[in-house]
Amino acid sequence: MPRARISTFAQTDQPVAPSGVKPAPDCTLVIFGAHGDLTKRLLIPALYDLKVSGLLPDGFRIIGVDNAEDTTEGWRDRLTAMMENFTKDPSAEFYTPKIDETVWNWLSARLTYARADFTDPGALRDLGSGINGNAVFYLAVPARFFAPAVEALGKAGLTEEPENHFRRVVIEKPFGTDLQSAKDLNSHLLSVLKEEQIFRVDHFLGKETVQNILAMRFGNVIFEPIWHRDYIDNIQITAAETVTVESRAAFYEATGALRDMVPNHLFQLLAMVAMEPPASFAPEKVRTSKQTLFESILPVKPEDVVRGQYVAGTVKDMPVAAYRDSPGVASDSDTETYVAMKLEVQNWRWAGVPFYIRTGKAMSNRLAEIVIEFRVPPLTLFPSADAHSPPPNRVILNVQPVQGVTICFGAKKPGPEMRLVDVQSRFRYPDFFVREPNVGYETLLYDCLCGDATLFQRADNIETAWAVVEPALESWKAGHSAPEPYAAGSAGPRAADELLARDGRAWHPIDGQV
């Protein structure tokens, strides 16, 4: 029987919360940056999905704040058109010809637009006169506004928590551009807010497949007993993209692949796969386990870091211009679009097990995965079918676009001889679960409204991650390493292969093959 295809924006006659899951408390969500892409493409659709699931309370409302001239009716109309366009895209794997009008009418009736400078305490004080009780301020704005906006909220008295009510602030990455700027940002935030009021979003943690890493490790007895240096040879973490810098040159020229991806997204994946079991899944217990791991990672050696920058090539049969030929990019730019590095974790579980991480743009395939490669048996009793040594056992945690887990092991090839071939056992989310409405922010928004900080970063997590990569940034600033060119549509620069080859290892291919 064919599996039913479920709309991204599910339709329902009566929103009902999943069994045992309570709706969020009554709250006003104030979104700074109401006209931005984050609000239109992710926050509003995620809130729609939460209402579909019955997880928003009747006492919920949204105030969109921006500097542009607009009205509540105009903002609502544009968001309605946006939602309708999203659900009419026939090229999407999951779509429906219309949104659920009952759900959307409920949500849109709670939308209000306010024109205001969110760095002006006076403007925010006027805005706050209509906010009673619980409030969450979502800073969907460029990073340069984080500190001024929070300072203005504090001066306007909006961060003070009335009795039995909460006030919270949500910020997106980047959390600084190096160790010192991260410390400065945290210092500014903590001069106005308490740590428990700050929710630092890393959207990778909104992915079900990332959260499943903890469930797989700590909820199954077959994995954790072999999850250490006695059995594991190395761990590889990859986040490859086929997209180029596109229209984001202004951001990317000042950022680069390392700042954009490593101390945040990739370190969160590393934490999920390598942290010690927390005493419980209380938010602070989980974040403390992550912090303990980060403190065990040695500062990276500059010679263990590879920089790359894509040149002209072909990605998925489409010609791609060199990064330096992109609009807004300097002709002599040394910004890296690819980075790979070897990290060492000095603790009892992982001593001697290298962690290799890499990320890049304009690569041959879109892929995010973690490969746990196990040690080979001490004695090879069985030759492989191709006369080479059998490949090591691997557990591959598939994050995107495939979502699931692949286990690779040796099995006897049929025939008279005892020869091994590599076979795979696969778990795929769509094979076991009906697709739920999800744009990746639903869990994060719900947890923030409920005050659950498990999936959000703490100040010390961020600063310790930056401290690990700081030697590489300082080396590059001193001009000690220029990015190596790699062809668009390739697997990255040759030096990245040499990084592993000198240890007698090789990258897992990024073509999606196991």
Side-chain angles (χ1 to χ4, degrees):
M1 180 178 177
R3 181 170 299 276
R5 305 185 84 186
I6 308 299
S7 164
T8 299
F9 301 100
Q11 300 186 48
T12 177
D13 294 327
Q14 180 62 43
V16 178
S19 177
V21 181
K22 297 180 179 179
D26 290 348
C27 177
T28 298
L29 176 64
V30 183
I31 303 176
F32 292 169
H35 288 138
D37 280 349
L38 175 62
T39 300
K40 294 182 291 186
R41 292 176 51 251
L42 295 171
L43 299 185
I44 296 300
L47 291 169
Y48 173 95
D49 290 342
L50 287 176
K51 180 56 184 174
V52 166
S53 300
L55 295 177
L56 292 183
D58 285 337
F60 181 75
R61 66 188 186 116
I62 306 163
I63 301 176
V65 181
D66 220 318
N67 229 345
E69 189 70 50
D70 205 348
T71 63
T72 293
E73 291 73 20
W75 191 47
R76 287 175 181 168
D77 289 346
R78 274 183 284 279
L79 292 177
T80 300
M82 175 274 302
M83 292 288 289
E84 290 173 344
N85 287 336
F86 275 5
T87 57
K88 287 181 180 177
D89 180 6
S91 66
E93 183 179 358
F94 299 93
Y95 79 100
T96 182
K98 67 184 182 69
I99 59 177
D100 186 308
E101 291 186 4
T102 301
V103 173
W104 179 246
N105 288 341
W106 182 95
L107 189 64
S108 62
R110 287 162 170 78
L111 295 170
T112 303
Y113 181 81
R115 183 186 182 188
D117 178 355
F118 43 74
T119 64
D120 178 5
L124 295 185
R125 196 173 291 113
D126 293 340
L127 177 71
S129 62
I131 300 175
N132 298 310
N134 299 325
V136 172
F137 300 91
Y138 201 115
L139 274 56
V141 296
R144 66 181 183 276
F145 293 115
F146 291 165
V150 169
E151 184 178 350
L153 283 169
K155 290 181 178 178
L158 294 179
T159 59
E160 297 175 6
E161 296 184 303
E163 186 175 1
N164 298 322
H165 292 93
F166 60 78
R167 295 292 167 91
R168 299 174 185 141
V169 174
V170 186
I171 65 173
E172 293 268 343
K173 77 171 187 72
F175 313 113
T177 57
D178 55 20
L179 178 57
Q180 187 57 52
S181 60
K183 287 181 175 180
D184 291 344
L185 176 58
N186 281 328
S187 177
H188 277 102
L189 297 179
L190 292 170
S191 68
V192 178
L193 302 160
K194 294 175 290 188
E195 178 62 43
E196 55 265 31
Q197 291 180 278
I198 306 170
F199 287 70
R200 302 172 184 84
V201 172
D202 188 314
H203 69 260
F204 258 48
L205 294 181
K207 299 178 184 296
E208 289 289 347
T209 44
V210 174
Q211 297 170 44
N212 183 58
I213 297 171
L214 296 185
M216 190 193 78
R217 286 187 58 195
F218 304 136
N220 299 281
V221 72
I222 64 173
F223 292 112
E224 192 61 17
I226 59 172
W227 214 259
H228 58 80
R229 57 189 169 86
D230 288 348
Y231 295 94
I232 294 175
D233 178 79
N234 72 91
I235 293 178
Q236 302 178 19
I237 302 176
T238 298
E241 299 179 287
T242 55
V243 296
T244 65
V245 69
E246 297 177 327
S247 61
R248 301 174 69 219
F251 165 79
Y252 212 80
E253 275 286 83
T255 306
L258 188 151
R259 290 182 172 91
D260 189 35
M261 294 290 292
V262 174
N264 36 69
H265 299 329
L266 296 190
F267 267 53
Q268 288 303 309
L269 295 181
L270 193 159
M272 292 293 205
V273 80
M275 64 188 275
E276 293 298 316
S280 72
F281 273 91
E284 290 313 303
K285 300 295 186 183
V286 174
R287 301 203 294 182
T288 295
S289 286
K290 288 184 179 182
Q291 179 62 16
T292 300
L293 173 72
F294 291 158
E295 291 173 353
S296 301
I297 305 175
L298 297 181
V300 69
K301 302 172 185 175
E303 60 267 27
D304 286 342
V305 183
V306 173
R307 301 176 80 196
Q309 185 186 93
Y310 67 83
V311 295
T314 303
V315 178
K316 302 295 185 183
D317 298 323
M318 296 293 293
V320 171
Y323 173 75
R324 291 182 177 182
D325 292 332
S326 303
V329 174
S331 59
D332 60 349
S333 171
D334 67 349
T335 298
E336 79 282 355
T337 60
Y338 175 102
V339 66
M341 64 179 64
K342 172 185 174 181
L343 296 173
E344 300 175 65
V345 180
Q346 289 291 75
N347 62 21
W348 278 90
R349 182 186 291 265
W350 298 115
V353 178
F355 286 73
Y356 302 106
I357 64 177
R358 60 177 169 171
T359 183
K361 290 189 174 296
M363 301 185 73
S364 59
N365 194 35
R366 175 175 173 260
L367 181 75
E369 68 178 15
I370 304 170
V371 179
I372 294 91
E373 191 168 287
F374 290 83
R375 297 185 182 278
V376 297
L379 181 63
T380 303
L381 298 175
F382 310 112
S384 67
D386 60 4
H388 293 92
S389 297
N393 300 150
R394 286 152 291 156
V395 173
I396 303 173
L397 309 177
N398 311 112
V399 177
Q400 66 181 24
V402 176
Q403 297 180 321
V405 179
T406 303
I407 300 176
C408 306
F409 57 96
K412 181 186 177 295
K413 182 179 181 180
E417 296 182 302
M418 181 63 76
R419 291 187 176 273
L420 295 188
V421 294
D422 198 37
V423 298
Q424 298 88 38
S425 177
R426 293 185 174 95
F427 153 62
R428 297 290 180 263
Y429 264 78
D431 295 336
F432 288 84
F433 303 110
V434 175
R435 175 166 172 147
E436 297 293 337
N438 197 300
V439 295
Y441 270 69
E442 288 81 358
T443 298
L444 297 173
L445 280 169
Y446 175 75
D447 285 354
C448 176
L449 295 174
C450 294
D452 185 342
T454 305
L455 298 178
F456 298 84
Q457 295 205 61
R458 208 167 60 188
D460 55 349
N461 298 167
I462 289 168
E463 293 177 15
T464 307
W466 275 115
V468 172
V469 301
E470 188 75 3
L473 295 174
E474 291 178 348
S475 176
W476 298 350
K477 186 177 180 180
H480 294 160
S481 175
E484 177 182 326
Y486 66 96
S490 71
R494 183 177 302 174
D497 295 329
E498 295 170 352
L499 177 67
L500 273 68
R502 73 191 191 199
D503 293 339
R505 300 183 176 95
W507 289 107
H508 188 256
I510 67 169
D511 59 5
Q513 301 298 313
V514 295

